[in-house]
Amino acid sequence: MKFNSKLIHAGYDSSADSQGSITPPIYKTTAYQFNNTEHAASLFALQEFGNIYSRLTNPTVGSLENRLTELEDGAMCVALSSGTSSVMYSLINIMSQGDNFITDTQLYGGTFTMFTNILPEFGITSKKVDTTDLDLVEKSIDKNTKAIYVETITNPGLVVADIEGLSKVAHSKGIPLIVDATFTTPALQKSLDFGADIVVHSLTKWMSGHGRVIAGAVIEKGGFEWGNGNFPLYDTPDTSYGGMRWGHDLGDLSGVAYSLRLRTVPLRNLGANMSPETAFEVMSGLETLGLRMERHCQNAKKAAEYLSDHDLVEWVRFPGLKDDPAYELSEKYLKGTGGTMVVFGIKGGKDAGQKFIDNLKMFRHVANVGDTRSLAIHPATTTHSQLDDEALVAAGSPPELVRLSIGIEDIEDIVDDLSQALDSTK
Ligand SMILES: Cc1ncc(COP(=O)(O)O)c(C=O)c1O
């Protein structure tokens, strides 16, 4: 099946359902009856796959996991309670005290805080560098570096990552490239096909689209050599799992060692599982992802062109504009669309930015992106208000920056709303 068909059909077979339900039923159960003690023992020993307890697996969540695996051209997926828990688990699944990873200076705010304040409490540190500079990335890798981690498009700077280039650097050092593909979704970029090893999603955004649930997932490409000596968690016997050496003892399943460990170690013992209701909601939204992304991208381009010509606009960043610094990367990694986000600098700085937001009528003023609705925020007075002007610039979010997540409404209404809100700042 091709992409848009997979969005609707992959991962769930209605003819195999006892009632023939055309949408995956919501299995509201905590536990699953074993056939006998032998069956229970073989499930626990990973000799047989099957349901034990809904923190570990659930059939509704499983349908979503299978669908996401197919959509990303991956080998296995673990769905989780949020994008945030997915970021965290994707890293702690391969790192422990004393380890570090390379990441960018520009990251989603919650991820930045996790990397700067939370993970170091557990002895895992990040080296934040400009990841568009591949030489710098390579030089920053040391013997304790376990991964390169980037966002496919940064927020709010809209820097497009060079996935192929970064994966080559990572693989030359025997470490994986992990990407947060929330801003691209597999409709714009198949990150695993470009060389990434692990994809992380906040499914809260474009993947669901309706703005009703918080959800996340981690998808593995499969085949990475986790037993290559760089990952002690995959070499030494795991006392929490019957002495399993995850990088060596899995036989035919060794290609998905990362996902099996993610499910049976962090997920089983820390518990950020997705509920079946949430999986159902995500799958409902996913059905229209292809159509929505097409419309999001068309609207974003038109909004960016409109803003570029406006007297009250200082500058516009949209990777799909020919003079944008990310234009070439957008051609390669975003199917030439430029994506769905537009950021711009408003004349009059912070005060004008605030006034613009207060006067928007159809755009919703929220700390979110990726909804069917058009959304706007002025980071300097909200998400980044703790930073002074110098720090705002360093975070890729100067005081005059306004961030727009362009929705799928009629473009005339989007432009009208931008126009009247800009006029109010005169
Ligand atoms: C790029 C990115 N990654 C991760 C997250 C966290 O996702 P969630 O809100 O689902 O925990 C967000 C949230 O805005 C995000 O924008």
Side-chain angles (χ1 to χ4, degrees):
M1 276 191 278
K2 294 205 172 10
F3 186 75
N4 284 291
S5 313
K6 282 185 188 172
L7 286 170
I8 296 163
H9 298 288
Y12 175 70
D13 178 6
S14 53
S15 62
D17 179 66
S18 63
Q19 306 300 319
S21 168
I22 58 157
T23 58
I26 301 178
Y27 281 89
K28 284 179 79 92
T29 182
T30 43
Y32 306 82
Q33 169 117 357
F34 303 122
N35 301 339
N36 48 45
T37 50
E38 205 179 312
H39 176 222
S42 95
L43 289 175
F44 272 84
L46 280 184
Q47 280 158 0
E48 195 180 332
F49 282 126
N51 296 310
I52 298 175
Y53 189 66
S54 276
R55 177 163 20 87
L56 301 173
T57 57
N58 171 282
T60 317
V61 178
S63 293
L64 171 64
E65 290 170 336
N66 292 340
R67 188 163 297 178
L68 293 173
T69 302
E70 289 207 36
L71 292 173
E72 288 287 9
D73 293 342
M76 205 174 252
C77 165
V78 179
L80 294 164
S81 61
S82 66
T84 302
S85 56
S86 305
V87 173
M88 170 89 168
Y89 283 15
S90 76
L91 294 165
I92 63 168
N93 196 36
I94 52 174
M95 292 179 211
S96 51
Q97 217 171 23
D99 291 338
N100 69 66
F101 58 99
I102 310 295
T103 190
D104 203 273
T105 51
Q106 289 193 30
L107 291 163
Y108 159 62
T111 302
F112 190 89
T113 305
M114 184 197 300
F115 291 0
T116 310
N117 302 89
I118 313 293
L119 289 179
E121 298 280 351
F122 297 88
I124 298 171
T125 53
S126 58
K127 296 189 193 178
K128 300 189 188 73
V129 301
D130 172 3
T131 55
T132 62
D133 182 344
L134 296 181
D135 287 338
L136 178 61
V137 170
E138 185 163 7
K139 278 188 204 122
S140 306
I141 295 172
D142 64 38
K143 67 177 184 6
N144 294 322
T145 303
K146 304 295 176 194
I148 299 175
Y149 178 101
V150 292
E151 292 172 356
T152 53
I153 306 180
T154 65
N155 170 18
L158 304 191
V159 176
V160 178
D162 177 4
I163 309 291
E164 236 169 49
L166 287 165
S167 70
K168 281 187 189 138
V169 175
H171 296 158
S172 73
K173 303 283 183 184
I175 60 174
L177 173 65
I178 305 178
V179 302
D180 177 337
T182 302
F183 272 51
T184 41
T185 82
L188 290 193
Q189 181 191 111
K190 299 279 191 75
S191 318
L192 299 176
D193 294 345
F194 280 113
D197 301 284
I198 312 289
V199 170
V200 174
H201 278 293
S202 167
L203 303 173
T204 314
K205 320 292 177 185
W206 293 268
M207 294 287 265
S208 302
H210 39 49
R212 280 187 216 132
V213 289
I214 302 289
V218 181
I219 300 129
E220 171 181 23
K221 180 176 188 169
F224 187 89
E225 190 51 56
W226 297 105
N228 68 5
N230 285 335
F231 303 94
L233 291 179
Y234 287 73
D235 287 336
T236 43
D238 185 344
T239 51
S240 82
Y241 214 89
M244 172 81 79
R245 293 176 312 144
W246 293 99
H248 304 274
D249 298 340
L250 280 168
D252 290 350
L253 295 174
S254 63
V256 288
Y258 176 91
S259 302
L260 293 176
R261 189 182 187 282
L262 186 77
R263 190 178 297 283
T264 42
V265 184
L267 176 58
R268 184 177 67 140
N269 302 299
L270 299 174
N273 62 291
M274 178 185 282
S275 76
E277 292 86 347
T278 295
F280 182 86
E281 288 282 3
V282 175
M283 275 187 284
S284 303
L286 262 182
E287 292 185 359
T288 56
L289 177 73
L291 287 171
R292 283 186 286 109
M293 289 302 275
E294 256 177 59
R295 179 67 166 262
H296 277 297
C297 295
Q298 284 164 9
N299 281 354
K301 184 147 195 233
K302 288 185 184 148
E305 284 165 355
Y306 169 75
L307 291 168
S308 302
D309 287 338
H310 204 288
D311 291 348
L312 296 172
V313 172
E314 197 86 54
W315 52 264
V316 177
R317 282 287 331 275
F318 173 69
L321 293 176
K322 281 219 163 73
D323 57 355
D324 192 89
Y327 180 73
E328 273 178 33
L329 288 167
S330 161
E331 288 290 295
K332 177 167 179 180
Y333 291 112
L334 311 179
K335 298 188 174 163
T337 62
T340 68
M341 299 288 296
V342 179
V343 295
F344 70 99
I346 193 161
K347 283 191 181 152
K350 214 181 241 186
D351 291 346
Q354 211 160 355
K355 213 164 178 189
F356 170 84
I357 297 280
D358 282 338
N359 281 285
L360 283 167
K361 292 195 165 66
M362 186 178 78
F363 275 71
R364 301 290 91 194
H365 179 204
V366 294
N368 192 21
V369 291
D371 216 306
T372 51
R373 288 154 276 266
S374 288
L375 312 174
I377 202 160
H378 180 228
T381 51
T382 54
T383 49
H384 292 58
S385 56
Q386 75 282 14
L387 304 182
D388 61 22
D389 286 3
E390 203 182 322
L392 281 170
V393 173
S397 181
E400 73 279 12
L401 181 146
V402 174
R403 185 186 77 185
L404 305 176
S405 171
I406 303 293
I408 59 172
E409 303 98 335
D410 289 302
I411 187 63
E412 294 81 2
D413 292 327
I414 292 173
V415 167
D416 282 354
D417 202 18
L418 294 174
S419 163
Q420 64 80 24
L422 279 166
D423 285 346
S424 74
T425 67
K426 273 185 196 160

